[in-house]
Amino acid sequence: MNKILAFALGNTFRADDGAGLAVARGLEALLPGVEVVEANELRPEHADALAGAAGVLFLDASVAGEPGEIHAARLVPRTARAALLHALTPEEVLGLARTLHGRAPPAGLVTVSGREFAFGEGLSAEVEAALPLAREKARELAEAFALPA
C-alpha cells in the first residue's frame, strides 16, 4: 500500500480529450514509482485496482473553463448512481472501492480544460503549454496524501 496510482483518462483520437494521458507522460520524473493506468473511462473493476494504493490521482481533460486552465482538487468517495453505469466518476469509483474493500485511498483530480474535442490527434497549443503545471499540481496532490485530509 505504498504506491501512487494515476488513472490517465481520455481518448487520444479526440484531440484535447487526450490531455489526461499527456499529463501522465512525464509524471514519473516528478513522482518516481507512480503506476499509470490508461483508460478511456472509469469502470467498476477499477475499484479493485485502486483499493490497495496509498493514493490515487485521476488525470483528465475538461470541456469547462478556458483552454489550458488547470484545476486540481482532493476527492471524497461518493456512492455510485442508483443505476450503476458502465462509466463512473472518480468519486464513484472511490466509493465503490470503499464499499467492496472497506477503504478508499486519498485521491485527487487534475483536469486541463481543452479547446478541441473533435476527431483528430494532437493537443491544442493551450493544453500542450499547460502540461508541466498540470504535472506539478498532480505531484502536489500526491504529496498531500500523506497529510490528514
Side-chain angles (χ1 to χ4, degrees), residues 77-101:
R78 182 176 65 210
T79 303
R81 293 158 278 180
L84 188 62
L85 303 175
H86 182 66
L88 301 173
T89 67
E91 295 89 350
E92 289 171 334
V93 80
L94 290 167
L96 190 55
R98 184 177 57 198
T99 299
L100 295 174
H101 301 283

Side-chain angles (χ1 to χ4, degrees), residues 40-52:
N40 285 335
E41 61 188 11
L42 291 170
R43 298 181 311 272
E45 55 268 27
H46 286 128
D48 294 332
L50 66 82

Side-chain angles (χ1 to χ4, degrees), residues 25-129:
R25 293 184 194 106
L27 193 57
E28 171 76 23
L30 296 174
L31 286 172
V34 66
E35 183 180 327
V36 175
V37 175
E38 294 185 5
N40 285 335
E41 61 188 11
L42 291 170
R43 298 181 311 272
E45 55 268 27
H46 286 128
D48 294 332
L50 66 82
V56 181
L57 295 168
F58 296 94
L59 312 171
D60 205 357
S62 175
V63 296
E66 293 295 316
E69 194 172 83
I70 299 165
H71 291 278
R74 294 283 297 261
L75 297 176
V76 175
R78 182 176 65 210
T79 303
R81 293 158 278 180
L84 188 62
L85 303 175
H86 182 66
L88 301 173
T89 67
E91 295 89 350
E92 289 171 334
V93 80
L94 290 167
L96 190 55
R98 184 177 57 198
T99 299
L100 295 174
H101 301 283
R103 84 175 282 276
L109 171 67
V110 176
T111 61
V112 180
S113 297
R115 177 172 43 86
E116 183 60 54
F117 292 90
F119 287 108
E121 294 182 62
L123 301 172
S124 66
E126 297 93 340
V127 169
E128 195 70 51

